[in-house]
Amino acid sequence: TLDNVLMQSTNIFYYRSGQFGEYIHRNRLDWTGEKEHALVSFVNERLNMALKQGRHYVTIDEIWAPDHFPPLPDSLEWTEDLLIDCLRKSGKFSLIGSMDRIVVPFENDFIKDETDLIASILETDYGGKASLKELRKKLMEIRYSKDGWFLFGTLSRLENGDAPFVVDAEYVRMKEP
């Protein structure tokens, strides 16, 4: 579709979602390598703060601070959709979850995909075991998915037995080493 083509472009940015999604050209944003570098540096600072708390990710909600982002031309304001697309197009971060609202650096040995994210949360937030209800609530809070259910990639890995955790009735626990 046209949306997919526009999302792949390095010159067209997703500006605002909705029934009539809005796109904007790089030149109209006055988006430069320096501005991209400033945004990447800011997000890396936030990731380092999260790492000090034992987390290898941040959410869009945690980094949403338009006053700290590079300035846009006068008539434009930052949107969360624009932030997400700028991060995606920088090539420095992976956006995880069905809503693309969980940010991890590509150069990361801990979280490579959504399954690793869940394993990381199980380890850091729950000591390796959580009730499915608690974990789903946490996944909804960080906007991994709308209802907190595992996405296809994780479900496939669970079914194949190569996920680092298992679901036992009403609990999710890390596998024994």
Side-chain angles (χ1 to χ4, degrees), residues 81-119:
D81 295 315
L82 178 60
L83 172 61
I84 290 167
D85 209 29
C86 287
L87 295 177
R88 178 183 295 114
K89 286 183 164 94
S90 76
K92 304 290 185 192
F93 305 102
S94 179
L95 298 157
I96 296 179
S98 64
M99 300 177 179
D100 288 341
R101 298 190 59 92
I102 302 162
V103 182
V104 297
F106 272 131
E107 295 179 16
N108 176 342
D109 295 331
F110 297 95
I111 300 174
K112 298 290 185 196
D113 60 22
E114 65 190 56
T115 308
D116 291 343
L117 171 74
I118 294 168

Side-chain angles (χ1 to χ4, degrees), residues 3-27:
D3 279 339
N4 290 335
V5 171
L6 292 173
M7 291 295 284
Q8 298 304 316
S9 170
T10 58
N11 289 319
I12 305 294
F13 289 79
Y14 196 48
Y15 186 67
R16 192 179 320 264
S17 63
Q19 182 177 1
F20 304 105
E22 297 176 43
Y23 293 87
I24 192 164
H25 194 274
R26 170 184 292 276
N27 293 344

Side-chain angles (χ1 to χ4, degrees), residues 60-175:
I60 293 296
D61 293 336
E62 291 174 305
I63 62 174
W64 181 251
D67 292 344
H68 291 86
F69 301 162
L72 298 177
D74 291 336
S75 61
L76 295 174
E77 61 185 34
W78 277 95
T79 66
E80 290 184 356
D81 295 315
L82 178 60
L83 172 61
I84 290 167
D85 209 29
C86 287
L87 295 177
R88 178 183 295 114
K89 286 183 164 94
S90 76
K92 304 290 185 192
F93 305 102
S94 179
L95 298 157
I96 296 179
S98 64
M99 300 177 179
D100 288 341
R101 298 190 59 92
I102 302 162
V103 182
V104 297
F106 272 131
E107 295 179 16
N108 176 342
D109 295 331
F110 297 95
I111 300 174
K112 298 290 185 196
D113 60 22
E114 65 190 56
T115 308
D116 291 343
L117 171 74
I118 294 168
S120 176
I121 290 170
L122 268 174
E123 288 283 357
T124 58
D125 293 15
Y126 300 103
K129 181 180 179 182
S131 75
L132 190 54
K133 183 178 180 178
E134 284 178 311
L135 183 59
R136 283 188 58 214
K137 181 179 177 189
K138 174 70 175 182
L139 294 176
M140 282 189 293
E141 283 175 12
I142 65 171
R143 295 164 97 177
Y144 162 82
S145 65
K146 184 178 178 181
D147 55 10
W149 284 115
F150 300 145
L151 299 177
F152 179 77
T154 298
L155 291 172
S156 296
R157 288 186 66 186
L158 281 167
E159 188 175 305
N160 293 336
D162 67 344
F165 53 86
V166 294
V167 178
D168 288 329
E170 295 178 26
Y171 289 90
V172 182
R173 65 172 173 77
M174 295 299 293
K175 286 182 176 175

Side-chain angles (χ1 to χ4, degrees), residues 37 39-50 92-93 105:
H37 178 75
L39 182 63
V40 166
S41 294
F42 174 76
V43 173
N44 279 328
E45 287 174 19
R46 294 294 173 101
L47 279 161
N48 287 332
M49 290 169 53
K92 304 290 185 192
F93 305 102

